Amino acid sequence: HNSLRFGSALQRAIESGLQINLLQVQFPSLEVGLPKGLESIDELLSHKDFVSKFFSGIQMLQEPVEKVLAEARPKPSCILSDKHVFWTAKTAEKFGIPWIIFDGMSCFTQVCTELLLASKVHESVCGSESFIVPGLPDPIEFTRPQLPRFVDAGSESTSVVSLLKQIREIELGAYG
């Protein structure tokens, strides 16, 4: 399903002379309890109800992806993956190729995230009380409910918090 979303862009790149081979694996939607064809987090009907199932499906992709990579000729020059598909770090290491992550967050959000995780200033405020992100040239205010879950995970389940921490630790080892 996802390959269809990018098919025309890939086809244009191939026609321009780039050596791109699209290797596909089936996302196990039904096996993890998701509707058939649901393969992208932006398609989740209810984020809260389906996110853990979606990430279970992502984990199940490691074995079929490694099988496809083992048979791929020529050998891939790198693995480019979303940071949430963090098992690709081990797969890249296994095949001796660089692992490059994509993170769709904006640079501003990235900077604020780093500053908040380092300072933990948000942990000293309650509810909708505002606070200023330290270290920025201009005052930027947030409240805890405005923060991404991986910054203020206090309201999340232990499994989600654990997963977010694991992703955070692994992404620091990316080639790019």
Side-chain angles (χ1 to χ4, degrees):
H1 176 74
N2 274 328
S3 63
L4 296 175
R5 295 171 80 176
F6 304 104
S8 61
L10 284 172
Q11 190 58 41
R12 285 192 307 275
I14 291 167
E15 289 170 0
S16 75
L18 295 175
Q19 293 183 337
I20 297 174
N21 295 322
L22 178 61
L23 307 174
Q24 298 181 53
V25 294
Q26 184 67 43
F27 187 79
S29 301
L30 297 176
E31 292 89 335
V32 296
L34 293 172
K36 183 178 176 152
L38 196 145
E39 300 181 1
S40 180
I41 203 158
D42 65 334
E43 297 174 331
L44 291 180
L45 305 173
S46 168
H47 188 76
K48 188 174 185 175
D49 294 337
F50 289 127
V51 73
S52 64
K53 292 177 181 182
F54 181 77
F55 279 108
S56 292
I58 287 175
Q59 297 295 355
M60 292 172 66
L61 290 174
Q62 185 171 4
E63 186 179 323
V65 166
E66 288 184 359
K67 183 178 180 193
V68 168
L69 290 176
E71 298 169 359
R73 298 294 176 264
K75 177 182 164 182
S77 55
C78 71
I79 292 179
L80 173 62
S81 71
D82 186 284
K83 75 176 191 174
H84 296 99
V85 188
F86 56 88
W87 55 260
T88 55
K90 289 186 190 238
T91 298
E93 184 179 340
K94 177 179 179 178
F95 287 91
I97 54 179
W99 177 58
I100 301 169
I101 60 169
F102 169 78
D103 187 335
M105 239 189 313
S106 71
C107 291
F108 175 74
T109 303
Q110 293 271 7
V111 168
C112 288
T113 297
E114 293 300 322
L115 292 170
L116 290 173
L117 290 173
S119 72
K120 301 184 185 305
V121 67
H122 59 288
E123 294 177 4
S124 64
V125 298
C126 297
S128 59
E129 182 183 345
S130 65
F131 60 89
I132 294 176
V133 178
L136 294 174
D138 295 306
I140 302 295
E141 286 188 32
F142 286 107
T143 63
R144 286 183 81 162
Q146 292 176 312
L147 298 178
R149 289 182 306 189
F150 59 88
V151 175
D152 188 30
S155 63
E156 290 297 326
S157 70
T158 305
S159 61
V160 172
V161 171
S162 175
L163 176 66
L164 296 172
K165 285 181 180 178
Q166 186 177 8
I167 291 169
R168 175 96 176 119
E169 289 170 9
I170 292 172
E171 74 179 335
L172 296 174
Y175 177 82

